[in-house]
Amino acid sequence: MKPFPVFEKLDIQIERAAGCFVYDHQQEAYLDIYGGHAVVAVGHTHPHVVDSTLQQLGKIGFYSNTIYNDLQHQLAHQLGLMSGYTDYAVFFSNSGAEANENALKLASFFTGRKKVLSLSNAFHGRTSGAVSATDNTSLRAAVNDNGHYFFSPFNELSSLRKQLETEAYCAVIVEPIQGVGGIQVATDEFLQEVRAICTKTGTLLILDEIQSGYGRTGKFFAHQYAGIKGDLVTVAKGIANGFPMAATIISPAVNPLMGQLGTTFGGNHLACATAIAVLEVLRDEKLIDNAAQVGGFLISELKDIAAVAEVRGKGLMIGVEFDADIQQLRQELLFDEKIFTGYAGAYTLRLLPPLSFTMEHAQIFLRSLKKLLKKNSRYFQNRSYHMG
């Protein structure tokens, strides 16, 4: 038996990691500006997270949700305080896609409606309901095209308003910043209007903060820049720094009924202990403030590089768009400069480093990027490159 080949693999074997660096089998260090798809929130192998996880594993790692687990209550309390959603409930699960599945299901239960409005360029996961709300036909099988999902243009209200005024939709699902879609930022005005239209039409607003949440943008949630709240908010990625976990945050207006949601592994003892430790590190090391400060610096510096066509994002969720294909640039960043980056499409570098990323780390990246852009300036001839 062998792994089912569904992801393109980089020809590199990582053996260990610490902070913002990963190390290959020859102990060569690589600066990690991708964090495994924004998962490594507080840095690789953070001592407090490791210690808390190991201590819990020495007590009990798992028992099913048939028993009371005080760690779930501790985590829910701390998550409410840090996120500003103190009066909401939370359901813990295992992945971002599952968090979105639960949000979609709850919206349909609550409203009695079955249609969902999603946005162009969206990505909400690969499981059945989540992928139906994902605007990528190559990911949707025939079984996912059930006619319940409608896509409206991102950052544009007229189509969305017309659809919701039919009062046929149980939910609108929105990424405040689209990650896979290229770090496309929803405007404050768009989010505020969507919130108002949802309230008016009895439609639940699901805010997918799986990639943009947990302090990445300089606030706990990206939608908090717009001063709104969701009826349902989904989180995963950085919630447990690499341990598989997710959560659906649920408005007090949505009354729980026994059996509507369930999970075997979700909210287990080990996951909760790890997630509590992550929140403690975010708080004690002021990593959300750090994301705002270092991210703001990095965005400003990137905008000064003439070879860069556009910079999008907030905090340490950054898209750097070029006028030429970036495949060679990413390869040279990785193998020549020893820097991990991500991508979104053929032209956009996606930067999602740990929130412990420092000004010094940012300078390392900027120097390497400028050096490579100068070396490969022939690929960016429609812009007059300067050193920024």
Side-chain angles (χ1 to χ4, degrees), residues 15 24 90 144 178 204 214 222 237 243 249 268 280 285 302 305 308 335 367:
E15 288 197 349
D24 66 15
V90 62
N144 305 125
Q178 294 183 329
L204 295 195
Y214 252 75
K237 299 298 185 189
F243 194 96
I249 298 171
N268 65 72
E280 290 169 346
E285 298 186 9
L302 288 165
I305 300 176
V308 171
F335 293 107
R367 285 194 296 270

Side-chain angles (χ1 to χ4, degrees), residues 70-132:
D70 186 59
L71 289 169
Q72 289 186 3
H73 293 264
Q74 293 178 39
L75 175 57
H77 177 69
Q78 290 192 33
L79 179 55
L81 289 176
M82 288 195 65
S83 68
Y85 278 84
T86 54
D87 58 337
Y88 280 50
V90 62
F91 182 82
F92 296 115
S93 55
N94 309 286
S95 70
E98 189 178 345
N100 281 336
E101 294 281 350
N102 288 325
L104 292 165
K105 185 188 290 187
L106 282 172
S108 187
F109 274 131
F110 180 78
T111 64
R113 305 170 184 175
K114 63 183 179 182
K115 296 184 75 174
V116 174
L117 191 145
S118 187
L119 299 177
S120 58
N121 215 35
F123 182 89
H124 296 294
R126 297 173 184 269
T127 53
S128 186
V131 82
S132 295

